[in-house]
Amino acid sequence: MATEAKVDPMHQFTIEPLFGTDHWALGGFNIAFTNSALWMLISAVVLYAFMLGGMKRELVPGRWQMMVESMTGFIENMLSANVGKEGRKYLPYVFSLFMFILFANLLGLLPLGLVGLHPFTFTSHFTATGVLAILSFSIVLVVGFYKHGLHFFSLFVPHGTPLPMIPLIFVIELVSFLVRPFSLGLRLFVAMMAGHVLLEVLSSFVIGGANAGAFFMGLVSIPSFILMVAICALEILVAGIQAYVFALLTSLYINDAEHLH
């Protein structure tokens, strides 16, 4: 008789302290080194290794160098299209942001753990995606006020707005502007979390059908497993799309700061 196995779809999002750091504290705050922090570090190291391998500047570029140059050119073209020639100075930041999120999303899909640790998708936590969004939003504010001073507030009053409507339009545009970091971080968080929850739910169907006997294995487990494989492929695509969307919206926000309309 097969033992019953239960799958908790939300357990994969649990942040746990590692290496006995659960009692670390600083100023009354817990600063434990967690699985989320570990996979942030791993993503940063993978990004550094990716760039290091493509900076050899060989006369005849190898495949690795061509891959790095292609990704850099891709982000540069996006910035040029959305920001213009001023966008080039933001290339290091937007490229790093794009690649960091992309590697984070892909590493979270690994089927096997590294050094005995289960992969953890920290982009499925709003605290992580929210910080990235606030960082991008802060750059927009700094650039906007540095280049335009108080004239930056004209961003919230579209050209041609009737005078009696200015107070109302200003408030609406200001609220819309302040919601941007929230929506930017929420979009990435929801997309990554939903996909991982769906995979866990389907895995519970696979296990439950197998425990119920051969008939339910063929009726439930096998179709669920096939669907899991298809969704895994879709999740790889979503990982790239969400990284691109985050970088794209960041470039659009930078354009607002560079060019007041």
Side-chain angles (χ1 to χ4, degrees):
M1 180 177 179
T3 58
E4 183 179 357
K6 294 183 179 180
V7 177
D8 180 8
M10 304 307 294
H11 178 70
Q12 60 182 315
F13 305 116
T14 304
I15 296 180
E16 301 173 343
L18 301 176
F19 315 125
T21 63
D22 49 321
H23 297 299
W24 285 11
L26 179 64
F29 294 94
N30 191 322
I31 58 169
F33 188 78
T34 64
N35 50 350
S36 179
L38 174 64
W39 285 91
M40 289 182 193
L41 179 61
I42 291 175
S43 298
V45 170
V46 172
L47 173 57
Y48 178 76
F50 175 75
M51 290 302 301
L52 196 63
M55 296 176 65
K56 297 180 180 179
R57 301 213 177 254
E58 298 175 347
L59 183 61
V60 180
R63 294 181 180 178
W64 196 284
Q65 183 176 337
M66 289 181 63
M67 182 167 55
V68 173
E69 290 178 355
S70 297
M71 297 302 294
T72 306
F74 172 71
I75 299 300
E76 184 178 10
N77 291 336
M78 182 187 70
L79 285 169
S80 297
N82 294 313
V83 184
K85 61 181 182 180
E86 297 89 351
R88 186 173 180 83
K89 60 177 174 284
Y90 301 102
L91 177 61
Y93 170 72
V94 178
F95 175 79
S96 299
L97 182 69
F98 170 75
M99 295 303 299
F100 180 70
I101 294 175
L102 178 62
F103 284 135
N105 293 346
L106 293 177
L107 287 171
L109 293 172
L110 289 176
L112 300 175
L114 299 176
V115 293
L117 296 170
H118 190 278
F120 185 86
T121 311
F122 62 84
T123 48
S124 63
H125 282 261
F126 186 63
T127 49
T129 60
V131 167
L132 293 175
I134 290 173
L135 179 61
S136 297
F137 188 70
S138 299
I139 291 176
V140 171
L141 291 178
V142 170
V143 171
F145 283 110
Y146 176 76
K147 291 197 65 174
H148 308 287
L150 294 179
H151 184 61
F152 182 66
F153 286 109
S154 65
L155 178 66
F156 310 128
V157 183
H159 181 70
T161 303
L163 186 61
M165 295 292 294
I166 287 180
L168 178 61
I169 296 299
F170 180 85
V171 172
I172 293 174
E173 290 291 333
L174 179 61
V175 171
S176 175
F177 183 78
L178 295 177
V179 167
R180 283 181 176 182
F182 177 79
S183 62
L184 185 61
L186 186 66
R187 183 181 290 103
L188 175 59
F189 147 69
V190 168
M192 300 312 300
M193 185 177 187
H196 283 66
V197 168
L198 182 57
L199 287 174
E200 286 287 333
V201 170
L202 288 173
S203 69
S204 69
F205 290 163
V206 173
I207 295 172
N211 289 335
F215 174 76
F216 287 99
M217 179 181 291
L219 183 66
V220 178
S221 297
I222 294 178
S224 296
F225 180 77
I226 295 174
L227 186 58
M228 280 182 64
V229 174
I231 292 177
C232 282
L234 180 61
E235 277 286 279
I236 295 175
L237 179 62
V238 170
I241 291 175
Q242 289 302 317
Y244 171 72
V245 169
F246 202 101
L248 175 63
L249 292 177
T250 298
S251 68
L252 292 175
Y253 298 158
I254 289 174
N255 178 61
D256 287 342
E258 285 282 348
H259 311 286
L260 294 180
H261 300 290

